Amino acid sequence: MSHWLNKVLVIGLGLIGGSLAKSLREQRACANVVGFDRDQREMQEGLRLGVIDSMAENLAEEVSSADLVVLAVPVKATEAVLEQIKPFLTPSTILTDVGSTKGNVVEAAERVFGRLPVGFVPGHPIAGSEKSGVAAADSQLFNGYKVILTPLPDSADEATARVEEMWRFTGAEVLMMDVARHDEVLAATSHLPHILAFSLVDTLAREEENLDIFRYAAGGFRDFTRIAGSDPTMWHDVCLANKDPLLRQLDRFTAGLARLRSAIEQGNGDMMLGTFTRAQAAREHFSRILSDTASSQTMNSSNVIFRAQPGGSVTGTIRVPGDKSISHRSIMLGSLADGITEVSGFLEGEDALATLQAFRDMGVVIEGPNQGKVRIHGVGLNGLQAPPGPIYVGNSGTTIRLLSGLLAAQQFDTELSGDESLSKRPMERVAKPLRLMGAQIESGEGGRPPLKIKGGSDLKAISYEMPMASAQVKSCLMLAGLYADGVTSVTEPAPTRDHTERMLQGFGYAVEQNGSEVSVTSGGTLTATQIDVPADISSATFFLVAAAITPGSDLTLEHVGINPTRVGVLNILKLMGANLELMNEREVGGEPVADIHIRYAPLKGIQVPEDQVPLAIDEFPALFIAACCAEGETVVSGAEELRVKESDRIQVMVDGLKALGADIEGTPDGAIIRGGQLHGGEVFAHGDHRIAMSFSIAALRSSGEIKINDCANVATSFPTFVDLAQEVGLNVNEGDS
Ligand code: NAP
């Protein structure tokens, strides 16, 4: 059997060295894992426990014949051990270590070697425990954890690759960093918390009634102080080895603590809430990042499948999740308003959370979200503060485009960036008109993110005719218009969603609408309000169609947004003969909402009016299902945009519906569908969430099971879909292959 390397020598057979050796042995990574420790008994114990293949009786011989030498001794012993092994290292020996600090390890190596050997690649596993010694060796210690390598300018690529491979055998994820950055990051994330834990326990232990204090200590105290049980000698060494970065972090922490102290002293609730909500949000954010990393392998490789059983009917009363566009805007305008805005029904999806985080970064105190409830302590139109760094908006196009208008008018500089997919999307469509208003804004390569926005520009109002219809561009300019001198007007070539205009009015800010032109005048204020975010009509659509096609159905969808720019699906279903009525119509934060009551009635095929297409563009996958269950022919045209959505929605629906026996033909801008019986079968959603959900409801009228592949994205856009579907009577279940 060929091995990755022949011989690995581990010097220092304690917790870390022993765990690494044991893992390499179990993985059969190399022919021989040899252990050396200054304590003979530790080596013998290592041999007995199967941690190593053999003990190094003669260190000189073992070093000169090893392919790779790992130093796993306390950091302060590094220099002495390097002196000891230096004479026996060959030009091809790869040398690495596991020390918790890196700057001083490299300095020690420089003192020993002068010019560093090309085979030397320092490293640090970010895993461990309070235990020590070879008896605590655990081959799974590094599995799923991170290891940081800090290759040096002289390190050979080949050596770095080998050390990286070694850690991969243990199941660790390997990251690269330079030495100084490593020490700075670890000072903040590991060394500072250890110092705080030691100091807190010591402080309380010195109090006279310490027994009582510890006796009544609850879980929080135990969690926070667990790491005070770590090895004092090791932490003494770490503090000395990483003194400067640690002192910098301690100073920052002390300043933060002093701010909190004075907030408590002065009873400054906003300041306290600001600190706690920011910390809570950051903690959740990091936990999510960390758990994503842990599960990324399984998530990516698994194909989430929905299995929908035939038959059933749809009954009950449900409320689907809140509208995304309105959730975004509630945070933005709530932050800019005077007073506290209370939001309920907020959609806690990643995009709207990115907006929320952006305003927290700019000093707005935002409580929640907690089960869709958010309390925003508005700072007024001129109360935003410079964020501590670039604002990261993830995948949210709405956030970056709307914020650019707002930030162009602030006194401070900002940078907006996003994830890989957002970084490919065009930003000049907002940057150009903002420059006409006097904004100083620089986009990245090819007019894409990041956007660098200079503060302190005095914006002047413009009248802008949008070359293409875009609600995001219109909203961006209106937000800039709140600050620009004069009256800012935007004319759109075709109607687009008007959530911003409506919500501005909901916050008491005058907006003028004149045909296709909308205008705002600067100088006003926004007044805090209450917003119960309407349920998203696009999410409601799956249930509307489900009830419309299934005999015996009787369903009420509560508090659905019926903004005139979004109600195409209601108009089209009505034309097809659906029995639906709007009840309890009302206005919330400027937006019209209603409860929608729908009962089964036989549907008939129609020619879908082209003026309804833009008002229902996201709803066509579900409407195609309705057409398959209608009597006669349905023709959809003027919907070429469907070909460039999350998937080519025309093609994917045509392929899937044909697989279920439907009579459907795709056309360049739509489809021709003749109603008939669907049978069961296997279809592919191609990662498109709306298609996955549409095929799920098709089973209500199919004669056999429908198996739907590639449904993972439903979890991000509509995480409660399967639960709600089951609640109203669909027999759909989630699994993976
Ligand atoms: P450990 O369990 O105490 O093991 C260290 C071993 O090295 C002990 O067996 C020790 O022997 C031996 N040793 C000390 N000086 C030596 C020398 N001159 N020659 C040969 N062997 C020597 O400590 P550990 O937790 O594994 O830590 C080892 C290294 O890993 C440290 O550099 C530490 O910074 C790093 N690290 C630790 C953790 C953690 O959570 N523990 C996490 C990441 C990295 P004696 O018992 O006789 O002293």
Side-chain angles (χ1 to χ4, degrees):
M1 178 178 164
S2 72
H3 289 287
W4 154 72
L5 287 178
N6 187 40
K7 187 193 278 189
V8 172
L9 170 65
V10 179
I11 300 180
L13 221 47
L15 171 73
I16 301 293
S19 299
L20 174 61
K22 195 171 182 191
S23 179
L24 293 177
R25 264 201 94 209
E26 281 184 11
Q27 295 297 316
R28 299 182 201 284
C30 48
N32 200 0
V33 182
V34 185
F36 175 78
D37 200 282
R38 63 178 179 180
D39 185 343
Q40 184 82 9
R41 281 167 310 177
E42 286 288 281
M43 287 198 280
Q44 280 161 351
E45 183 72 352
L47 201 57
R48 193 184 67 78
L49 293 170
V51 168
I52 49 174
D53 290 305
S54 58
M55 299 175 5
E57 308 281 2
N58 179 334
L59 186 61
E61 229 169 65
E62 298 293 356
V63 172
S64 54
S65 61
D67 301 300
L68 195 155
V69 176
V70 184
L71 256 53
V73 295
V75 168
K76 72 168 193 277
T78 306
E79 188 163 349
V81 176
L82 286 176
E83 284 289 5
Q84 208 180 344
I85 64 173
K86 179 183 169 188
F88 316 111
L89 291 169
T90 73
S92 62
T93 317
I94 299 165
L95 179 64
T96 187
D97 78 312
V98 299
S100 306
T101 51
K102 296 275 58 92
N104 66 321
V105 165
V106 174
E107 282 163 20
E110 278 165 351
R111 282 193 296 275
V112 173
F113 295 107
R115 181 160 187 186
L116 292 170
V118 295
F120 181 41
V121 183
H124 175 203
I126 313 295
S129 78
E130 294 80 64
K131 299 179 192 149
S132 58
V134 75
D138 171 6
S139 62
Q140 297 305 308
L141 189 66
F142 312 111
N143 192 6
Y145 286 85
K146 294 188 169 66
V147 170
I148 300 175
L149 299 186
T150 59
L152 305 165
D154 285 334
S155 304
D157 291 348
E158 170 70 13
T160 306
R162 290 295 182 187
V163 178
E164 187 175 351
E165 282 160 15
M166 175 184 80
W167 285 111
R168 291 247 164 87
F169 278 115
T170 68
E173 183 194 346
V174 180
L175 310 173
M176 302 288 167
M177 234 179 237
D178 71 38
V179 169
R181 175 98 185 114
H182 168 277
D183 286 354
E184 203 66 55
V185 168
L186 267 291
T189 56
S190 168
H191 308 167
L192 178 66
H194 276 87
I195 301 309
L196 300 185
F198 282 126
S199 170
L200 175 67
V201 177
D202 179 51
T203 307
L204 297 187
R206 284 160 182 253
E207 304 224 344
E208 266 176 45
E209 288 102 37
N210 62 29
L211 202 60
D212 260 2
I213 291 181
F214 289 114
R215 185 178 293 138
Y216 299 122
F221 177 80
R222 242 171 270 140
D223 289 349
F224 185 73
T225 57
R226 177 183 59 80
I227 50 180
S230 303
D231 181 11
T233 319
M234 175 173 149
W235 283 98
H236 158 267
D237 294 354
V238 167
C239 290
L240 295 179
N242 205 24
K243 178 175 153 191
D244 292 338
L246 180 54
L247 286 179
R248 276 193 290 277
Q249 294 302 335
L250 265 172
D251 289 347
R252 290 184 62 192
F253 175 77
T254 314
L257 198 58
R259 279 197 300 274
L260 197 51
R261 187 191 182 285
S262 82
I264 296 168
E265 190 174 44
Q266 292 156 14
N268 184 341
D270 261 15
M271 167 87 185
M272 287 184 253
L273 272 173
T275 307
F276 303 151
T277 51
R278 276 194 307 274
Q280 185 197 40
R283 175 79 176 71
E284 268 170 33
H285 180 64
F286 295 131
S287 308
R288 224 175 300 134
I289 290 179
L290 294 175
S291 61
D292 277 0
T293 317
S295 59
S296 59
Q297 282 165 331
T298 46
M299 286 295 286
N300 290 341
S301 56
S302 83
N303 165 20
V304 174
I305 285 175
F306 287 176
R307 287 179 188 277
Q309 306 307 323
S313 65
V314 180
T315 51
T317 300
I318 54 169
R319 178 163 168 172
V320 298
D323 185 283
K324 186 158 90 170
S325 306
I326 299 173
S327 295
H328 275 297
R329 287 156 173 85
S330 67
I331 299 294
M332 294 184 186
L333 300 190
S335 296
L336 299 175
D338 294 320
I340 293 180
T341 291
E342 298 197 342
V343 181
S344 54
F346 177 79
L347 177 69
E348 296 180 37
E350 273 172 35
D351 286 6
L353 289 173
T355 293
L356 193 149
Q357 189 55 40
F359 282 89
R360 274 198 179 126
D361 286 349
M362 291 189 283
V364 182
V365 174
I366 303 176
E367 296 173 67
N370 191 353
Q371 298 190 327
K373 289 199 171 13
V374 182
R375 260 168 74 89
I376 310 160
H377 298 236
V379 294
L381 275 167
N382 297 307
L384 295 179
Q385 294 162 19
I391 294 177
Y392 178 75
V393 303
N395 188 239
S396 178
T398 304
T399 312
I400 196 167
R401 295 210 176 102
L402 269 60
L403 273 188
S404 61
L406 182 61
L407 296 176
Q410 303 303 315
Q411 291 305 311
F412 47 84
D413 297 350
T414 35
E415 181 174 332
L416 292 165
S417 68
D419 71 4
E420 207 185 320
S421 126
L422 186 74
S423 302
K424 293 185 185 135
R425 293 171 62 183
M427 291 298 139
E428 279 297 307
R429 60 182 63 177
V430 288
K432 268 190 193 149
L434 285 173
R435 284 188 204 111
L436 293 176
M437 297 177 82
Q440 300 178 64
I441 177 164
E442 217 181 276
S443 53
E445 210 187 312
R448 304 194 166 93
L451 291 178
K452 289 188 178 149
I453 302 171
K454 201 122 195 66
S457 309
D458 286 331
L459 301 190
K460 52 186 187 306
I462 55 167
S463 288
Y464 188 66
E465 291 213 3
M466 286 197 292
M468 61 197 290
S470 162
Q472 289 177 348
V473 176
K474 177 176 62 171
S475 301
C476 161
L477 298 181
M478 297 194 71
L479 290 176
L482 300 178
Y483 298 86
D485 192 18
V487 183
T488 301
S489 312
V490 184
T491 308
E492 50 188 4
T496 61
R497 296 181 184 185
D498 59 356
H499 301 302
T500 306
E501 297 92 298
R502 285 176 178 272
M503 200 179 282
L504 277 170
Q505 293 174 74
F507 276 86
Y509 205 104
V511 177
E512 269 202 42
Q513 183 83 45
N514 216 333
S516 59
E517 186 190 69
V518 54
S519 317
V520 284
T521 309
S522 60
T525 51
L526 298 169
T527 308
T529 183
Q530 297 203 339
I531 299 173
D532 187 2
V533 176
D536 185 353
I537 193 165
S538 295
S539 300
T541 290
F542 305 105
F543 296 99
L544 287 173
V545 171
I549 62 173
T550 313
S553 294
D554 185 339
L555 183 73
T556 302
L557 289 149
E558 289 180 322
H559 200 73
V560 182
I562 49 164
N563 183 299
T565 59
R566 303 281 298 277
V567 290
V569 62
L570 302 183
N571 298 336
I572 294 168
L573 281 175
K574 272 192 200 151
L575 286 173
M576 293 177 82
N579 178 2
L580 67 82
E581 59 180 322
L582 302 185
M583 301 181 320
N584 197 10
E585 285 188 54
R586 56 213 181 265
E587 194 156 290
V588 179
E591 290 281 345
V593 294
D595 301 333
I596 304 177
H597 183 205
I598 182 158
R599 275 167 295 180
Y600 171 73
L603 299 183
K604 58 180 191 301
I606 56 163
Q607 165 82 47
V608 175
E610 287 203 7
D611 65 352
Q612 293 300 312
V613 169
L615 311 185
I617 196 71
D618 287 334
E619 281 55 274
F620 279 102
L623 285 171
F624 278 20
I625 305 291
C628 287
C629 301
E631 197 188 321
E633 184 176 272
T634 296
V635 180
V636 178
S637 58
E640 52 275 83
E641 199 191 326
L642 288 176
R643 295 211 177 264
V644 293
K645 287 281 184 179
E646 280 87 334
S647 66
D648 175 344
R649 283 191 173 150
I650 295 176
Q651 197 56 48
V652 174
M653 286 305 294
V654 167
D655 292 347
L657 284 170
K658 276 192 172 155
L660 301 179
D663 182 353
I664 177 168
E665 261 165 67
T667 61
D669 65 345
I672 301 166
I673 305 161
R674 278 168 286 271
Q677 176 64 50
L678 296 175
H679 54 66
E682 180 168 8
V683 296
F684 293 84
H686 290 275
D688 187 326
H689 54 126
R690 294 201 198 281
I691 289 187
M693 293 185 273
S694 299
F695 281 123
S696 305
I697 58 172
L700 287 162
R701 288 286 298 268
S702 68
S703 57
E705 181 194 86
I706 302 180
K707 177 182 175 193
I708 311 150
N709 292 284
D710 312 327
C711 300
N713 286 342
V714 174
T716 27
S717 79
F718 191 166
T720 52
F721 172 73
V722 171
D723 291 343
L724 280 177
Q726 289 171 350
E727 188 183 324
V728 298
L730 275 87
N731 191 347
V732 53
N733 286 288
E734 186 181 328
D736 56 15
S737 62

